[in-house]
């Protein structure tokens, strides 16, 4: 059964329609079959007229005992009937459907579906759909699929196309899951699942179909990532690295000793750089665990081997901060570090381009612009991305097309629940910095309501008089009429009146010009500002060790991921630090989330709770990792199925890491098809 044939072999799909379908990523018969309903419309049960519910859609069965028609203004024909069952009577009214008068026969019974309303002084069912008795009954137990639509693609059209595609396949689809697996995991057969998902016999068969297809989606995705990993691991290392003498000097010069975890991770990186394999590694370490210095070690080693390395950060503020710390670490060793961010003048950029091309700059730090603009490297051997930006398969390909595959290192402070790790990082090797530098104290966290404001402000003054600095986070930039939330601008005004005059307060938000933002951040870094009132723009990566107090207003508005990231901005030096979560919310989930924050500091522990509690916002920053959007699966709702798929994926890879066995042939083919459609989405 060849399901890769184009959709145009089906009736009713010409060039125009196929263009429209392409936009929905539907090219082949197979794509059509895998275009699943987003929901199902259920036929409603029949209600007796005595029991109808006002202002809701009701279905009633009754005989016609009166039909009248009159013309209202502007030729508007109104058809009015009286319907009767053994409990009562009700009017039904339609507009502009003159033919109804002949269709609805006095004394005949019909089924009517429509909204019950009180209008023109009568209770009526408004413009109801009309069904012959037996027709409604045959559909009463069926679930009508509702498909996601797009412009110029109607429900009717997509339903007909899918019907045709199913008929075309005549149950001859190859089931790519070997029978023994289906048996072990209690999964429905593929043809059955496809038929039932599009045209379910009943709820039970629909559930069977859903389970199978959700399972498939997880499994295909995870196996696909494993295959990519397998594939990249055989890419020959074009940049074999030697260990360098400068490494020792560098480590000795540091004002601290590396933690064992940092050493371990650096060793893992080094082994790989020296091997014949191209590195594709993720370094995971909680906020403040000291990832930057590990990155600097890698950049140093690359530079000393006479190659170039580059490091990308998600924001300019962060890029500049990295530039500063990496320059401090590397320039004493004679390594030239360059900066490339959007706000630089054209002239400065040109200068950087030139010095990169001729190999003068060994280490480039910047925002994402560094790989997107017309940047040419002399011999780029390592790309590091910090936080947020996951370096996707696509970009790896883009870079490779410029020349050779560089090593890649992704650094993330987002701990993710173990169950999701395979989905997110399945194509990478992972190193974990699972230890904090010594001397860090637990960030004391409190959750209070707004009645504590005055006490909070005196605490703020106390910290500042000790020379420390304070962050205050508000969810909004400006006051909004519809939401009663604290906003950066008015909060700054408000607090100025309540706090000693010689305390310097500034605000920061995402809509400010990047020059202004940088200026504020710089002054805060230099302790020229005492209190920084900010939106979450400071969430990622910013490092001001002198800041010891984080106040989060409307804490209910943030998910655990966000709260954890924000709290990570304090406690970065040797001073005792505090986090105060301010909320008046009485919601029980919010209360639980606040409790988790007060009790735990370990990001991995918090991430597990996050998965359980789910708050507002993006659950544990998963979007940051570029998760694909699944067609039918939902990693949160379907977590149990995900676990099963995890388990099977691991088993299969252990048994046959290239999926080259005959029994996996169709599975392998399916993964390839699945991935050509999905991979664009996992990048970045
Ligand atoms: P993150 O992992 O969040 O990126 P950073 O790399 O910004 O963390 O490091 C946080 C702070 O910890 C920095 O001020 C850095 O100088 C310091 N640091 C890093 N490693 C150590 C260490 N081994 N001992 C003491 N301080 C360290
Ligand atoms: Mg960092």
């Amino acid at each position: 059964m060849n399901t890769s044939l184009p959709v145009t072999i089906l009736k009713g799909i010409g060039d125009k329609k196929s263009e429209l379908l392409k936009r929905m990523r539907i090219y082949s018969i197979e794509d059509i079959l895998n275009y699943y309903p987003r929901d199902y419309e259920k036929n409603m049960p029949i209600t007796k007229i005595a029991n109808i519910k006002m202002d809701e859609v009701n279905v009633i069965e009754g005989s016609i005992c009166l039909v009248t028609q009159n013309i209202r203004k502007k030729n508007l024909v109104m058809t009015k009937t009286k319907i009767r069952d053994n409990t009562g009577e009700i009017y039904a009214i339609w507009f502009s459907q003159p033919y109804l008068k002949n269709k609805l026969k006095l004394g005949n019974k019909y089924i009517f579906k429509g909204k019950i309303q009180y209008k023109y002084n009568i209770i009526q069912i408004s413009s109801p759909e009309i069904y012959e008795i037996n027709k409604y009954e045959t559909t009463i137990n069926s679930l009508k699929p509702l498909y996601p639509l797009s412009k110029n693609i109607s429900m009717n059209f997509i339903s007909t196309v899918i019907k045709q595609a199913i008929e075309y396949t005549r149950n001859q689809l190859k089931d790519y899951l070997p029978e023994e697996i289906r048996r072990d995991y209690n999964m429905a057969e593929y043809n059955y699942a496809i038929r039932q998902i599009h045209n379910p016999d009943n709820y039970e068969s629909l559930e069977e179909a859903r389970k199978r297809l959700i399972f498939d989606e997880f499994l295909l995705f995870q196996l696909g990532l494993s295959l990519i990993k397998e594939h990249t691991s055989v890419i020959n290392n074009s940049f074999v690295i030697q260990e360098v003498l400068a490494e020792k000097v560098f480590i000795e010069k540091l004002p601290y000793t590396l933690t064992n975890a940092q050493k371990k991770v650096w060793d893992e990186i080094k082994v790989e750089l020296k091997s014949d394999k191209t590195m594709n590694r993720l370094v995971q370490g909680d906020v403040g665990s000291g990832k930057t210095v590990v990155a600097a070690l890698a950049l140093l080693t690359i530079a000393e081997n006479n190659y170039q390395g580059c490091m990308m950060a998600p924001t300019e503020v962060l890029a500049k901060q990295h530039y500063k710390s990496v320059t401090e670490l590397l320039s004493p060793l004679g390594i030239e570090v360059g900066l490339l961010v959007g706000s630089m003048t054209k002239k400065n950029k040109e200068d950087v381009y030139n010095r990169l091309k001729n190999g003068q700059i060994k280490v480039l730090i910047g925002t994402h612009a560094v790989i997107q603009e017309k940047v040419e490297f002399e011999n780029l051997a390592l790309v590091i991305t910090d936080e947020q930006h996951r370096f996707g398969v696509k970009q790896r390909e883009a870079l490779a097309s410029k020349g050779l595959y560089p090593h890649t290192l992704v650094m993330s402070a987002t701990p993710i629940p173990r169950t999701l790790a395979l989905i997110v990082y399945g194509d990478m090797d992972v190193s974990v910095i699972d230890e904090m530098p010594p001397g860090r104290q637990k960030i004391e966290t409190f959750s209070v309501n707004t009645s504590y404001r005055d006490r909070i402000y005196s605490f703020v003054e106390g910290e500042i008089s000790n020379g420390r600095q304070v962050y205050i986070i508000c969810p909004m930039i400006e006051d909004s009429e519809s939401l009663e939330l604290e906003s950066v601008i008015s909060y700054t005004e408000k607090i100025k009146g309540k706090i000693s005059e010689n305390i310097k307060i500034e605000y920061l938000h995402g809509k400010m010009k990047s020059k202004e933002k940088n200026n504020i951040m710089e002054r805060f870094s230099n302790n020229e500002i005492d209190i920084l009132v900010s939106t979450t723009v400071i969430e990622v990566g910013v490092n001001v060790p002198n800041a010891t107090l984080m106040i989060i207003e409307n804490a209910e508005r943030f998910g655990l991921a966000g709260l954890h990231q924000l709290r990570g901005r304090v406690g970065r030096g040797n001073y005792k630090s505090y986090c105060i979560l301010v909320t008046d919310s009485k919601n029980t989930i919010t209360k639980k989330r606040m409790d988790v924050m007060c009790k735990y500091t370990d990001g991995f522990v918090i991430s597990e709770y996050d998965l359980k509690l789910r708050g507002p916002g993006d659950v544990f920053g998963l979007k940051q990792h570029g998760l694909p959007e699944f067609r039918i699966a939902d990693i949160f709702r379907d977590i149990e199925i995900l676990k099963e798929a995890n388990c099977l994926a691991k088993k299969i890879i252990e048994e046959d890491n290239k999926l080259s066995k005959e029994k996996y042939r169709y599975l392998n083919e399916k993964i390839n098809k699945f991935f050509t459609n999905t991979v664009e989405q996992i990048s970045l």
Side-chain angles (χ1 to χ4, degrees):
M1 168 63 37
N2 184 1
T3 50
S4 43
L5 289 171
V7 285
T8 43
I9 66 162
L10 300 176
K11 262 184 270 162
I13 304 186
D15 290 349
K16 236 190 201 156
K17 285 284 189 222
S18 82
E19 268 315 305
L20 292 170
L21 288 173
K22 267 182 202 160
R23 270 187 236 159
M24 295 154 80
R25 298 161 170 269
I26 298 176
Y27 305 90
S28 64
I29 299 290
E30 183 160 13
D31 297 335
I32 281 275
L33 295 173
N34 291 337
Y35 195 76
Y36 305 127
R38 63 173 163 77
D39 202 357
Y40 300 84
E41 189 179 274
K42 291 120 205 150
N43 254 336
M44 298 171 62
I46 292 164
T47 310
K48 291 286 179 196
I49 291 176
N51 301 330
I52 49 167
K53 293 208 175 74
M54 287 302 292
D55 298 315
E56 282 180 22
V57 172
N58 285 239
V59 178
I60 54 181
E61 177 181 341
S63 45
I64 306 274
C65 50
L66 173 83
V67 183
T68 59
Q69 212 158 47
N70 58 32
I71 299 182
R72 307 193 128 210
K73 58 186 165 182
K74 282 193 190 159
N75 297 330
L76 190 65
V77 179
M78 182 179 88
T79 312
K80 185 172 171 186
T81 69
K82 202 190 252 178
I83 299 162
R84 175 185 295 157
D85 71 8
N86 57 4
T87 68
E89 288 179 353
I90 190 172
Y91 286 99
I93 288 171
W94 296 265
F95 290 98
S96 304
Q97 299 185 47
Y99 56 90
L100 284 178
K101 190 169 179 193
N102 295 327
K103 185 180 168 185
L104 297 170
K105 303 260 171 350
L106 266 179
N108 275 10
K109 249 190 188 181
Y110 300 92
I111 287 178
F112 302 90
K113 180 181 176 189
K115 199 166 182 179
I116 310 287
Q117 287 174 314
Y118 184 73
K119 262 188 179 171
Y120 314 114
N121 290 326
I122 52 167
I123 294 180
Q124 58 167 46
I125 181 162
S126 309
S127 302
E129 295 163 25
I130 306 160
Y131 298 89
E132 308 277 343
I133 299 282
N134 46 10
K135 278 220 176 120
Y136 191 77
E137 273 170 4
T138 54
T139 50
I140 192 159
N141 287 319
S142 76
L143 296 150
K144 189 176 156 211
L146 301 171
Y147 293 95
L149 301 176
S150 76
K151 213 176 154 210
N152 295 325
I153 296 283
S154 70
M155 195 64 78
N156 210 353
F157 172 75
I158 202 90
S159 306
T160 344
V161 169
I162 287 174
K163 218 173 183 175
Q164 275 191 66
I166 291 176
E167 276 163 23
Y168 171 83
T169 61
R170 297 189 313 272
N171 287 339
Q172 301 293 305
L173 294 171
K174 189 75 208 162
D175 195 331
Y176 44 82
L177 270 194
E179 207 178 321
E180 55 182 83
I181 290 180
R182 274 188 344 246
R183 205 177 337 112
D184 288 353
Y185 287 80
N186 205 4
M187 289 295 156
E189 193 271 333
Y190 188 56
N191 285 280
Y192 175 82
I194 287 290
R195 262 186 293 125
Q196 290 298 326
I197 203 76
H198 290 296
N199 189 12
D201 290 339
N202 50 50
Y203 282 102
E204 226 171 277
S205 61
L206 174 62
E207 256 336 284
E208 288 173 317
R210 281 174 47 81
K211 188 177 167 207
R212 163 71 205 256
L213 297 172
I214 290 168
F215 184 79
D216 282 13
E217 215 172 5
F218 285 140
L219 183 71
L220 294 172
F221 189 75
Q222 294 184 34
L223 287 175
L225 287 184
S226 298
L227 289 180
I228 289 176
K229 182 167 154 189
E230 198 56 38
H231 175 72
T232 38
S233 74
V234 299
I235 295 173
N236 283 339
N237 183 353
S238 321
F239 306 100
V240 181
I241 304 298
Q242 312 291 326
E243 202 156 340
V244 299
L245 285 173
E247 177 188 326
K248 212 166 154 249
V249 182
F250 176 95
I251 291 174
E252 274 165 10
K253 271 195 174 168
L254 287 174
Y256 46 77
T257 42
L258 293 176
T259 62
N260 286 330
Q262 284 169 319
K263 282 187 205 149
K264 177 196 74 188
V265 170
W266 169 232
D267 280 340
E268 284 166 3
I269 294 171
K270 216 161 43 174
V271 166
E272 218 169 5
L273 293 176
K274 287 198 271 185
S275 76
D276 55 3
K277 174 182 161 196
T278 300
M279 179 171 72
N280 178 26
R281 182 170 291 274
L282 174 97
V283 173
Q284 228 189 349
D286 215 340
V287 276
S289 61
K291 293 182 290 292
T292 318
V293 68
V294 175
L297 270 164
L299 291 167
L300 167 74
T301 306
I302 291 288
E304 288 287 297
N305 273 268
N306 248 324
Y307 294 122
Q308 289 169 307
C310 103
M311 175 146 138
M312 296 189 278
T315 63
E316 275 205 37
V317 170
L318 200 53
K320 285 186 174 161
Q321 191 182 288
H322 279 322
Y323 174 68
K324 192 167 164 252
S325 40
V326 172
T327 310
E328 273 166 18
L329 292 166
L330 299 188
S331 61
L333 298 160
I335 292 166
E336 187 162 340
V337 184
L339 174 72
L340 193 60
V341 292
S343 68
M344 279 162 50
T345 62
K346 205 168 165 228
K347 194 165 156 274
N348 283 342
K349 281 185 195 161
E350 294 289 338
D351 177 52
V352 172
Y353 296 154
N354 288 333
R355 288 188 297 136
L356 260 183
K357 205 170 160 184
N358 65 25
Q360 219 174 314
I361 293 179
K362 289 281 176 236
V363 172
L364 180 68
I365 314 277
T367 48
H368 224 58
V370 301
I371 56 154
Q372 280 160 353
E373 287 184 23
K374 43 177 182 177
V375 184
E376 280 179 61
F377 292 88
E378 193 194 24
N379 51 14
L380 179 66
L382 170 69
V383 177
I384 302 177
T385 46
D386 187 30
E387 313 279 359
Q388 218 165 36
H389 281 186
R390 161 121 194 234
F391 196 53
V393 180
K394 264 270 140 99
Q395 279 132 323
R396 227 163 25 227
E397 276 169 10
L399 266 179
S401 69
K402 282 189 182 181
L404 301 156
Y405 277 101
H407 300 286
T408 61
L409 198 61
V410 177
M411 299 198 298
S412 169
T414 315
I416 75 159
R418 247 184 316 142
T419 23
L420 301 183
L422 254 189
I423 285 259
V424 183
Y425 304 138
D427 61 333
M428 304 184 142
D429 297 302
V430 181
S431 294
V432 186
I433 305 184
D434 50 7
E435 179 190 0
M436 285 291 185
R440 299 279 162 82
Q441 301 174 48
K442 183 172 181 286
I443 302 167
E444 216 64 63
T445 305
F446 308 95
S447 166
V448 300
N449 61 33
T450 48
S451 73
Y452 282 71
R453 272 268 157 70
D454 290 338
R455 281 202 248 171
I456 295 174
Y457 293 150
S458 50
F459 191 49
V460 167
E461 289 187 319
E463 284 299 291
I464 292 170
S465 67
N466 287 333
R468 304 286 82 78
Q469 290 161 278
V470 178
Y471 292 103
I472 300 177
I473 306 299
C474 300
M476 309 291 283
I477 297 176
E478 288 168 280
D479 281 351
S480 134
E481 282 186 10
S482 50
L483 293 167
E484 272 192 38
L485 296 173
E486 297 296 345
S487 81
V488 165
I489 293 174
S490 60
Y491 196 99
T492 307
E493 282 314 305
K494 192 165 72 186
I495 192 174
K496 271 181 183 163
K498 294 199 172 170
I499 228 161
S500 148
E501 270 178 20
N502 42 23
I503 289 180
K504 286 178 294 296
I505 306 170
E506 291 287 354
Y507 64 75
L508 187 74
H509 60 72
K511 281 201 182 140
M512 283 160 63
K513 293 218 175 70
S514 73
K515 217 171 165 182
E516 280 177 276
K517 273 191 286 192
N518 295 336
N519 176 274
I520 299 272
M521 261 335 286
E522 222 161 282
R523 283 166 51 215
F524 190 66
S525 288
N526 298 336
N527 199 359
E528 291 160 28
I529 294 171
D530 300 304
I531 301 178
L532 186 62
V533 183
S534 171
T535 55
T536 53
V537 287
I538 59 118
E539 180 179 315
V540 187
V542 172
N543 187 33
V544 181
N546 192 48
T548 53
L549 176 55
M550 166 64 67
I551 298 168
I552 303 174
E553 293 285 346
N554 293 115
E556 75 279 359
R557 297 287 295 183
F558 302 93
L560 280 172
L563 293 173
H564 178 68
Q565 282 285 343
L566 287 168
R567 181 170 62 182
R569 296 310 108 213
V570 297
R572 299 174 78 83
N574 292 327
Y575 307 110
K576 175 87 192 154
S577 296
Y578 307 87
C579 175
I580 301 176
L581 308 166
V582 186
T583 176
D584 281 334
S585 165
K586 298 206 163 54
N587 179 300
T588 47
I589 299 279
T590 301
K591 259 188 77 54
K592 278 187 191 152
R593 289 209 319 275
M594 298 306 131
D595 289 346
V596 168
M597 287 302 294
C598 294
K599 219 160 147 190
Y600 302 104
T601 47
D602 182 329
F604 285 97
V605 175
I606 296 174
S607 79
E608 295 290 345
Y609 278 101
D610 197 27
L611 195 57
K612 269 189 229 146
L613 295 173
R614 294 202 66 179
D618 164 29
V619 173
F620 244 85
L622 279 179
K623 267 195 212 119
Q624 297 180 0
H625 295 272
L627 259 193
E629 281 181 20
F630 290 109
R631 284 169 197 261
I632 186 167
D634 175 317
I635 45 176
F636 304 106
R637 185 195 59 207
D638 305 320
I639 191 93
E640 292 308 318
I641 303 178
L642 173 61
K643 283 181 191 163
E644 282 188 68
N646 256 343
C647 171
L648 176 60
K650 272 191 203 147
K651 253 196 215 152
I652 293 178
I653 291 298
E654 269 166 32
E655 180 195 330
D656 178 8
N657 64 356
K658 293 198 175 75
L659 262 58
S660 49
K661 287 191 179 163
E662 177 57 25
K663 64 174 174 179
Y664 295 135
R665 192 169 107 209
Y666 296 107
L667 185 57
N668 202 339
E669 276 174 17
K670 182 75 183 174
I671 292 166
N672 277 320
K673 285 185 199 155
F674 181 77
F675 257 69
T676 36
N677 285 341
T678 320
V679 152
E680 287 160 51
Q681 300 167 34
I682 35 171
S683 317
L684 191 78

